[in-house]
């Protein structure tokens, strides 16, 4: 027998199909799984001891915003260190395929809480493509640490065809020629292997920059006629429509169900991101899953909610948090980017009356519960308030909790840091959602919201919860994180069988000590002085292999990772 490049010895192997695990050795040769053997294999050139560990296909992260980061820092190490071997970028209508540097920076920065200069410089420095095909080649040529798949962003495409000014004009519509061009651009992307089209309807997804800073993303201005014209192509090709719905117009979700329906035609694969069990409205989870089951069973739809499998905890510096986009006074504050001018607004009593009124509203769709007794200060130059909620601070000072927040924000600006959990706080409901057939694992937002949230290790945390709570079989959890997603998105991933790509994760359950959910920060790659929230538990992932290369082991990356080691590739999707 030819000596294997890598042998993973003695682990419990889960193949990603949902079958129970079995003790086996894995042999890797030439970037592929060459043998899965229940008898011991000879040592490879490299042998990894997996005794007492779980060996599974590399996990997929289908909702990332690595579009700028992958250009300058292609290792994507924050995902790889958590056993993710394949990521999907281009979500939420945002991609860097067609638009130039300034447009990309305006599109990404505010809605995804990314530094405008970082996005601009990454695209300006590295953009050497002019089509989906050349974009794929450019990404594949980079020393990728993980495999990359991509959506084409609707906003990206719309700006290229219509120009940014018309693309964010509520009265403007693409001409028939422009719509024809967009259909051609989408077809070109699908030909190049893109998984589908991402759109967005969310009313609080705004542009950054100096040109149209208060406008929504271009995709939100499209009519359903425009969506239908693009969906026809996706449906015919068996590709995916990913979107974020408009929570202020929930009945519009019925249009997604109707577009996905397939009794008299091929169903359109549709996935919507959603915070399901939100504290602000406990009826959402049941209503959403029930509606999706009906749409799939009665309407023949191919619909999935995309849901985060862990508590949705968010942090804010001052008032810089996307949920402030939900209400008028929050938008007014975020529209002011100058620190001094924003402080003047927050100190104004007329503004404060509006802010208190907005927070007190009990009805209407929203994500944030706006309960300032459920918002805890984690750092502040005034040490006396750290560890307290704004409600508690307000009680101590005999003022409204909203005034406590605004007083501290005016005095300390971004040095005031606080956190809250907005969804997925009830363990039993979270368990129910993760076993639902109309829910898929996603919505990690990896690579975005750098100071607001971090779910890079959502897969590890889900496996830890399954291991501790037993709400689903372990093999089912592995399938949900690997093969199920790969099959749905049409990607060559998610399987640990002979002949498959050797994208493999070795999990050490002895490392499940609860620290995976702890707060941590790390330098953002390529930007001096910028730190981002991360997840760190270097005991849980024993090894990550991408393309047969052991790229990470217990907190250490391989030599040349992200610089000279070409481990990952671009994964081209196929319709299924």
């Amino acid at each position: 027998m030819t000596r294997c490049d890598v042998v993973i010895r003695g682990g419990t192997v889960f193949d990603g199909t949902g079958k129970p695990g079995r003790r086996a050795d894995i042999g890797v040769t030439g970037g592929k799984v060459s043998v899965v053997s229940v008898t011991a294999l000879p040592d490879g050139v490299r042998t990894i001891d997996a005794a007492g560990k779980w060996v599974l296909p590399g996990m997929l992260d289908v909702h990332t915003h690595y579009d700028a980061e992958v250009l300058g820092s292609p290792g994507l190490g924050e995902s790889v260190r958590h056993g993710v071997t394949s990521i999907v970028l281009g979500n939420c209508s945002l991609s860097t395929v067609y638009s130039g540097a300034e447009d990309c920076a305006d599109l990404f920065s505010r809605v995804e809480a990314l530094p405008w200069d970082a996005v601009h410089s990454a695209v300006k420095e590295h953009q050497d493509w002019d089509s989906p095909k050349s974009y794929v080649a450019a990404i594949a040529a980079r020393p990728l640490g993980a495999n990359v798949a991509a959506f084409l962003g609707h906003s990206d495409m719309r700006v290229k065809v219509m120009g940014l000014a018309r693309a964010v004009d509520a009265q403007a519509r693409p001409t028939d020629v422009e719509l024809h061009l967009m259909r051609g651009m989408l077809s070109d992307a699908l030909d190049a292997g893109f998984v589908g089209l991402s759109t967005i309807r969310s009313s609080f997804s705004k542009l950054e920059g100096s040109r149209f800073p208060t406008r929504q993303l271009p995709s939100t201005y499209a009519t359903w006629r425009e969506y239908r014209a693009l969906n026809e192509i996706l449906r015919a090709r068996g590709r995916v429509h990913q979107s974020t719905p408009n929570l202020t117009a929930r009945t519009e979700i019925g249009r997604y169900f109707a577009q996905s329906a397939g009794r008299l035609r091929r169903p359109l694969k549709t996935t919507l991101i959603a915070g399901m069990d939100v504290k602000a409205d406990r009826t959402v989870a049941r209503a959403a899953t029930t509606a999706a089951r009906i749409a799939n069973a009665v309407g023949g739809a191919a619909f999935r909610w995309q849901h985060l499998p862990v508590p949705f905890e968010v942090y804010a510096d001052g008032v810089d948090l996307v949920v402030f986009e939900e209400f008028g006074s929050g938008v007014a504050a975020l529209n002011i980017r100058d620190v001094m001018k924003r402080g003047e607004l927050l100190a104004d009593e007329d503004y404060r009356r509006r802010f208190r009124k907005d927070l007190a509203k009990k009805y209407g769709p929203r994500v944030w519960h706006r309960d300032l007794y459920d918002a805890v200060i984690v750092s502040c130059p005034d040490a006396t308030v750290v560890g307290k909620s704004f409600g508690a601070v307000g009680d101590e000072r005999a003022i409204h909790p909203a005034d406590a927040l605004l007083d501290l924000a005016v005095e300390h600006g971004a040095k005031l840091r606080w956190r809250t959990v907005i969804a997925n706080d009830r363990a039993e409901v979270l368990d129910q959602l993760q076993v639902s057939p109309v829910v898929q694992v996603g919505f990690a937002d990896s690579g975005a919201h750098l100071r607001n949230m971090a779910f890079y290790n959502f897969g590890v945390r889900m496996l830890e919860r399954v291991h501790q709570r037993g709400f689903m079989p372990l093999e089912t959890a592995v399938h949900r994180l690997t093969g199920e997603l790969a099959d749905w998105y049409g990607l060559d991933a998610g399987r640990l069988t002979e002949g498959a790509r050797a994208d493999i994760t070795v999990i050490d359950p002895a490392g499940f000590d609860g620290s995976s959910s702890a707060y941590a920060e790390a330098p953002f790659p390529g930007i001096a002085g910028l730190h981002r929230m991360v997840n760190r538990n270097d005991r849980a992932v024993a090894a990550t292999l991408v393309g047969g290369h052991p790229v990470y082991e217990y907190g250490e990356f391989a030599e040349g990772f992200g610089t000279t080691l070409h481990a990952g590739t671009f994964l081209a999707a196929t319709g299924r």
Side-chain angles (χ1 to χ4, degrees):
M1 179 178 180
T2 304
R3 190 182 189 195
C4 297
D5 299 332
V6 180
V7 169
I8 304 174
R9 187 183 304 289
T12 301
V13 176
F14 298 88
D15 65 7
T17 67
K19 294 178 182 178
R22 57 174 179 156
R23 188 269 172 216
D25 286 3
I26 303 292
V28 174
T29 305
K32 300 283 188 179
V33 176
S34 54
V35 59
V36 180
S37 176
V38 295
T39 59
L41 294 175
D43 281 348
V45 176
R46 174 75 181 280
T47 298
I48 297 174
D49 180 10
K53 304 175 180 67
W54 307 336
V55 184
L56 49 137
M59 291 181 278
L60 283 76
D61 186 345
V62 299
H63 195 108
T64 81
H65 292 284
Y66 280 129
D67 305 71
E69 184 174 336
V70 74
L71 302 179
S73 301
L76 306 180
E78 209 52 54
S79 287
V80 170
R81 75 184 306 132
H82 300 299
V84 172
T85 60
S86 299
I87 65 97
V88 181
L89 45 71
N91 286 277
C92 298
S93 86
L94 304 172
S95 59
T96 62
V97 178
Y98 286 111
S99 298
E102 186 176 14
D103 288 338
C104 285
D106 283 2
L107 291 172
F108 276 87
S109 298
R110 179 165 170 174
V111 64
E112 301 304 339
L114 292 166
W116 190 95
D117 289 341
V119 177
H120 182 267
S121 62
V123 177
K124 186 174 183 178
E125 179 180 353
H126 297 285
Q127 192 174 53
D128 58 358
W129 56 85
D130 58 7
S131 68
K133 182 178 180 180
S134 55
Y135 175 83
V136 168
I139 296 298
R142 281 167 163 72
L144 298 172
N147 302 309
V148 173
F151 279 106
L152 178 63
H154 184 214
S155 288
D156 178 20
M157 188 168 57
R158 223 171 181 257
V159 169
K160 177 65 175 180
V161 170
M162 300 176 66
L164 183 59
R166 288 184 59 236
V168 296
D169 182 346
Q171 306 305 314
R173 299 287 181 268
T175 65
D176 289 344
V177 171
E178 289 170 334
L179 188 55
H180 178 75
L181 286 173
M182 281 192 272
R183 283 170 55 90
M185 293 159 77
L186 176 58
S187 295
D188 289 345
L190 302 186
D191 288 343
F194 282 57
V195 298
L197 177 72
S198 73
T199 66
I200 196 166
R201 301 291 293 173
S202 170
S203 61
F204 52 86
S205 298
K206 304 289 179 63
L207 294 178
E208 185 61 279
S210 59
R211 296 177 293 173
F212 304 100
T214 63
R215 302 283 181 89
Q216 296 171 194
L217 291 183
S219 183
T220 66
Y221 295 99
T223 64
W224 281 91
R225 173 180 176 270
E226 184 175 331
Y227 286 124
R228 285 194 297 271
L230 299 171
N231 284 340
E232 287 176 359
I233 298 171
L234 297 173
R235 181 181 292 107
R237 300 284 291 272
R239 302 294 176 86
V240 178
H241 183 159
Q242 181 268 341
S243 192
T244 304
N246 183 355
L247 295 179
T248 65
R250 288 184 179 174
T251 57
E252 205 176 63
I253 291 173
R255 290 182 176 269
Y256 288 104
F257 291 152
Q259 284 289 283
S260 183
R263 284 295 178 203
L264 302 177
R265 59 186 177 180
R266 187 176 188 176
L268 171 66
K269 288 183 177 181
T270 303
T271 177
L272 299 188
I273 68 168
M276 302 286 276
D277 187 29
V278 292
K279 289 184 177 181
D281 186 349
R282 294 303 196 182
T283 68
V284 170
R286 181 177 294 234
T289 52
T290 299
R293 285 197 298 269
I294 293 171
N296 289 346
V298 178
F303 182 91
R304 299 290 186 275
W305 292 109
Q306 189 182 124
H307 183 256
L308 188 69
V310 299
F312 206 114
E313 183 180 49
V314 296
Y315 285 71
D317 296 316
V319 296
D320 276 313
L321 187 64
V322 68
V323 293
F324 278 83
E325 302 274 17
E326 286 187 319
F327 52 96
S329 59
V331 172
L334 294 181
N335 281 346
I336 299 175
R337 313 311 284 173
D338 180 86
V339 174
M340 295 296 292
K341 291 182 179 179
R342 179 184 286 183
E344 291 173 4
L345 175 71
L346 300 185
D348 180 77
E349 181 54 35
D350 287 338
Y351 173 82
R352 290 188 172 213
R353 278 194 290 271
R354 289 189 288 133
F355 189 81
R356 291 191 294 265
K357 183 177 180 181
D358 282 339
L359 262 60
K361 288 179 180 177
K362 301 296 184 183
Y363 304 103
R366 54 183 176 166
V367 173
W368 183 27
H369 50 75
R370 304 178 199 173
D371 179 1
L372 294 182
Y373 286 91
D374 190 10
V376 178
I377 301 163
V378 296
S379 64
C380 181
D382 180 357
T384 65
V385 301
V386 175
K388 301 175 182 178
S389 72
F390 291 112
V393 174
D395 290 343
E396 290 177 356
R397 298 181 179 184
I399 59 176
H400 193 282
D403 288 307
L405 166 60
L406 296 176
D407 282 349
L408 291 168
V410 170
E411 185 175 0
H412 303 294
K415 293 181 180 179
L416 167 69
R417 189 153 175 79
W418 55 279
R419 65 175 172 82
T420 189
V421 176
I422 62 175
N424 302 347
D425 57 306
R426 298 186 296 177
E428 67 280 4
V429 177
L430 187 55
D431 294 348
Q432 293 167 10
L433 289 168
Q434 290 319 121
V435 301
S436 171
V438 297
V439 172
Q440 67 178 203
V441 180
F443 197 10
D445 261 336
S446 301
H449 301 286
L450 306 182
R451 297 285 299 162
N452 301 138
M453 55 195 185
F455 304 113
Y456 298 93
N457 68 346
F458 66 94
V460 171
R461 291 175 65 182
M462 178 174 166
L463 292 174
E464 184 171 5
R465 290 187 71 253
V466 170
H467 183 57
Q468 294 174 345
R469 294 177 58 82
F471 62 91
M472 73 167 72
L474 182 57
E475 58 268 22
T476 302
V478 171
H479 175 61
R480 301 221 72 183
L481 290 163
T482 60
E484 178 181 301
L485 293 170
D487 289 348
W488 207 79
Y489 287 89
L491 299 173
D492 180 17
R495 292 285 185 268
L496 190 44
T497 54
E498 292 181 2
R501 289 181 50 82
D503 302 323
I504 303 170
T505 298
V506 182
I507 297 290
D508 187 350
F512 289 159
D513 58 8
S515 64
S516 295
S517 60
Y519 182 88
E521 290 190 10
F524 185 84
I527 304 180
L530 177 64
H531 283 68
R532 65 177 169 188
M533 287 179 59
V534 297
N535 313 118
R536 290 289 166 88
N537 176 0
D538 290 338
R539 296 181 60 242
V541 177
T544 305
L545 285 77
V546 177
H549 299 280
V551 294
Y552 172 85
E553 293 182 78
Y554 283 124
E556 299 293 331
F557 289 96
E559 183 178 354
F561 178 82
T563 55
T564 59
L565 176 58
H566 289 250
T569 190
F570 187 92
L571 292 182
T574 58
R576 298 187 181 183

